Amino acid sequence: MQKIIINGGKSLKGEVAVSGAKNSVVALIPAIILADGIVTLDGVPAISDVDALIEIIEIMGGSVKRHQDSLEIDPRGVKDMPMPFGKINSLRASYYFYGSLLGRYGQATVGLPGGCDLGPRPIDLHLKAFEAMGANVSYEAEAMRIATNGKPLHGAHIYMDTVSVGATINTMIAAAKAQGRTVIENAAREPEIIDVATLLNNMGAHIRGAGTDVITIEGVEHLHGTRHQVIPDRIEAGTYIAMAAAIGQGVKITNVLYEHLEAFISKLEEMGVRMTVNEDSIYVEEQGPLEAVTIKTAPYPGFATDLQQPITPLLLKSKGRGKIIDTIYEKRVNHVPEMARMGADIQVLGGQIIYEGGKQLTGAPVKASDLRAGAALVTMGLMAEGRTEITNIEFILRGYSDIIEKLTALGADIKIVED
């Protein structure tokens, strides 16, 4: 078992580049199954979720070549086969194979999705959309089978009962090769949805409205190969911005799209964080006193739930009392007792996180409960006096490309060791 060791109290200084978006690439790779030719993705992050997706594509018969941050994927050898195996079950984004296999073969048998435990995250909206397009759903042991029973997938008018990034993307992928027009109402608007739509359109799809709450897809018969640049990871960017504000002496974060982070940046400004926003970078100064704020997560363009945990260590440096309300994932509070173990004045009351800043943090053994909680504990370890040991680091490596190398280059004393 691996763990991260941090000797805290060392200031960060220098420049760090943000990698491609994890939440985009985990949908882009399954979507490539629809292509009749080779697709190259540039800006692919070096994360374990990508490794798992590559292995899945190869098991299915596809070919993948990797060169630095580029992937060349040839999906032409992908077979129509059931996939209820371990890699599927460890990966939440495995559900995107439902849409891509359904679009290519009219059927998909895929193991039930895994990922971080953040409370109920049902895939009912995905299934409702597939059924509206002519598919039937059944369960076989640990897998789900979705099939059109020999009939072509057809377009449909679909209203999402709740805003869902996964369901919006999955419906879009399946509809790309369906017969006729599909309209998605109350669609999610996240940048990652635009990224997937851009890839599909570059492959020959006809998708309009991505980034708005109504997306229209005109199905096509064939999709061809292309080359696509993955957008920067706004959650990784926000994580490093928060780290820089918490313990930096001047850090420049590059490959940042400010328009993807407006709600997050606005909250930092409310706290009094001093920074300079440039066209594709943000420079974070050494900070003075900060004010406590209340954060309430919301679907994009609101404050991202994925940035709720990474900003929490910075909140603990503020003056006064504040709270965090996560309206997206009710169980996204498991980082709180780990932070309290390090000396933070923080607790969960009535489903809300209540904190008071200004307490001295001390290194301690802590455990990551999910991806973003793990990133928050890394920041806590950087801020704390003494030694912090973080276990369950497989969560962190799922979503943060080269995090040890990037933080080391900024001056952190951090390493991975075998336990």
Side-chain angles (χ1 to χ4, degrees):
M1 185 176 68
Q2 293 181 313
K3 59 185 177 182
I4 290 176
I5 305 295
I6 303 171
N7 291 308
K10 301 186 185 321
S11 297
L12 305 181
K13 190 171 185 177
E15 185 173 310
V16 60
V18 173
S19 300
K22 177 255 186 191
N23 288 337
S24 273
V25 80
V26 295
L28 294 169
I29 293 174
I32 289 170
I33 287 177
L34 296 173
D36 300 327
I38 295 172
V39 176
T40 300
L41 295 180
D42 296 315
V44 176
I47 56 176
S48 61
D49 272 10
V50 167
D51 297 336
L53 287 166
I54 291 172
E55 186 172 339
I56 291 167
I57 294 286
E58 290 176 335
I59 289 173
M60 294 166 61
S63 169
V64 183
K65 295 179 182 177
R66 193 169 195 167
H67 179 69
Q68 295 180 345
D69 69 347
S70 293
L71 287 184
E72 182 182 282
I73 301 175
D74 186 346
R76 289 173 291 189
V78 169
K79 303 176 186 69
D80 177 15
M81 59 181 284
M83 299 189 306
F85 44 81
K87 287 293 178 183
I88 285 285
N89 298 88
S90 68
L91 186 66
R92 180 70 187 172
S94 63
Y95 55 45
Y96 291 125
F97 285 103
Y98 299 164
S100 59
L101 289 173
L102 191 59
R104 177 163 174 172
Y105 293 114
Q107 61 183 17
T109 303
V110 185
L112 299 178
C116 297
D117 180 13
L118 302 176
R121 293 195 286 174
I123 59 169
D124 298 4
L125 294 177
H126 305 238
L127 304 183
K128 173 186 171 183
F130 296 149
E131 288 174 332
M133 297 165 71
N136 297 312
V137 180
S138 59
Y139 295 89
E140 302 175 359
E142 295 297 316
M144 183 183 300
R145 177 171 170 76
I146 308 168
T148 60
N149 299 324
K151 299 177 182 178
L153 204 65
H154 60 74
H157 197 110
I158 297 160
Y159 181 85
M160 296 288 174
D161 295 328
T162 57
V163 176
S164 167
V165 175
T168 299
I169 291 177
N170 226 349
T171 304
M172 202 165 60
I173 291 171
K177 294 183 74 172
Q179 291 186 353
R181 173 183 294 181
T182 298
V183 178
I184 309 171
E185 288 197 61
N186 199 31
R189 299 164 55 191
E190 272 72 0
E192 293 78 14
I193 293 169
I194 301 173
D195 203 22
V196 175
T198 301
L199 169 71
L200 291 170
N201 283 339
N202 289 343
M203 290 161 55
H206 295 160
I207 302 172
R208 292 179 290 113
T212 75
D213 61 357
V214 179
I215 301 175
T216 302
I217 306 105
E218 299 283 353
V220 299
E221 190 172 348
H222 297 289
L223 294 173
H224 52 72
T226 190
R227 190 169 197 125
H228 177 78
Q229 177 71 42
V230 182
I231 61 171
D233 193 315
R234 61 195 173 100
I235 309 305
E236 182 187 5
T239 300
Y240 284 120
I241 291 168
M243 284 180 178
I247 195 166
Q249 289 186 336
V251 177
K252 182 179 182 181
I253 299 93
T254 63
N255 195 30
V256 176
L257 293 178
Y258 164 75
E259 57 267 29
H260 292 175
L261 286 165
E262 289 188 69
F264 177 76
I265 298 296
S266 175
K267 192 57 67 172
L268 293 182
E269 290 173 340
E270 184 182 337
M271 293 180 67
V273 172
R274 299 196 300 263
M275 57 192 156
T276 303
V277 178
N278 300 305
E279 184 176 348
D280 61 356
S281 67
I282 293 178
Y283 179 77
V284 182
E285 303 174 25
E286 185 174 3
Q287 302 304 311
L290 300 174
E291 296 297 323
V293 295
T294 292
I295 287 174
K296 186 174 184 178
T297 68
Y300 189 85
F303 193 100
T305 177
D306 279 358
L307 284 171
Q308 177 256 104
Q309 292 154 300
I311 199 176
T312 305
L314 176 61
L315 299 177
L316 296 174
K317 289 200 69 173
S318 63
K319 180 179 65 177
R321 195 172 183 87
K323 61 184 177 181
I324 304 168
I325 306 160
D326 198 319
T327 67
I328 312 296
Y329 293 132
E330 63 185 39
K331 286 181 65 177
R332 207 160 214 170
V333 297
N334 292 333
H335 56 300
V336 171
E338 302 302 302
M339 291 182 170
R341 186 172 288 115
M342 298 179 70
D345 186 349
I346 188 169
Q347 60 183 316
V348 180
L349 291 174
Q352 300 180 1
I353 299 172
I354 309 297
Y355 71 90
E356 181 151 2
K359 306 298 181 184
Q360 176 63 52
L361 303 178
T362 305
V366 290
K367 181 167 65 175
S369 57
D370 59 76
L371 169 57
R372 307 305 172 184
L377 293 179
V378 169
T379 305
M380 292 286 286
L382 297 173
M383 295 165 59
E385 291 296 324
R387 176 186 171 102
T388 296
E389 296 186 6
I390 306 174
T391 53
N392 279 14
I393 69 168
E394 63 274 9
F395 286 116
I396 301 169
L397 303 181
R398 282 188 53 225
Y400 286 90
S401 182
D402 299 322
I403 185 171
I404 304 301
E405 294 82 356
K406 289 180 179 182
L407 288 174
T408 299
L410 290 175
D413 185 346
I414 182 171
K415 60 185 177 182
I416 294 179
V417 301
E418 298 290 337
D419 192 359

